[in-house]
Amino acid sequence: MSDFDAISSSRTLHRLIYASRQRIAPGDLDNALGEIIRASIARNREVGLTGLLLVHDGWFVQALEGAAEAVMTTYRRILDDPRHDDLKLLSAGPADAREFGDWNMCARRLSAADDAILDALAQREAFRPATLSGAGALRLLKAVRGIQHRTTLDAIV
Ligand SMILES: Cc1cc2nc3c(=O)[nH]c(=O)nc-3n(C[C@H](O)[C@H](O)[C@H](O)COP(=O)(O)O)c2cc1C
């Protein structure tokens, strides 16, 4: 790889999507999510990352997008976080444009009214995001992106 390739690839927009199991006591979820989102917004803003965190049925599904180095450095930190485990990388690579550019990080939870989203992805009977393809995971997060009713957590974003 030439120096030019190395520089341009570190500046190219990258997107990474993973799924993980929450390891947070149910009664602590709201507080823990508040802390995660507050820290994420502050740190992601510093390094130009944007993204979306879906919180559903004991799972996290998160998209991170930005320069490759920022995405990978942040993902490595997230990997070590004891508030989740069983991280499964669903997709990572260059992207044409930001899909979640409105937020340095935003958490969304699904309600019963959002079942249509899960239906479309055959994830309603049992939510198993770790089985999604990279394209399926991106479709899921893009559908979630459009949800208009915001949770109280979103209010701090
Ligand atoms: C599901 C989940 C998503 C997270 N997303 C981010 C994120 O997008 N950006 C970030 O900086 N930290 C994120 N974190 C938090 C990091 O793991 C870490 O706690 C935080 O960056 C503070 O790191 P520090 O204690 O080294 O400053 C996330 C944690 C979890 C459990």
Side-chain angles (χ1 to χ4, degrees), residues 6 23 122 144:
R23 295 296 174 215
V144 170

Side-chain angles (χ1 to χ4, degrees), residues 41-116:
I41 289 170
R43 297 201 63 153
N44 292 357
R45 187 178 285 148
E46 284 168 13
V47 293
L49 285 184
T50 52
L52 179 65
L53 176 66
L54 169 62
V55 183
H56 183 64
D57 199 22
W59 290 88
F60 291 121
V61 186
Q62 186 176 27
L64 290 167
E65 50 192 23
E69 193 190 329
V71 169
M72 290 318 299
T73 305
T74 302
Y75 183 59
R76 272 194 290 273
R77 215 170 51 242
I78 293 173
L79 262 175
D80 287 338
D81 195 310
R83 291 171 288 192
H84 63 172
D85 62 13
D86 289 346
L87 276 79
K88 169 98 188 289
L89 190 59
L90 299 175
S91 83
D96 291 337
R98 290 184 193 256
E99 293 290 355
F100 309 101
D102 286 349
W103 313 284
N104 286 114
M105 191 50 61
C106 167
R108 294 237 158 131
R109 289 157 111 163
L110 297 184
S111 71
D114 302 317
D115 272 353

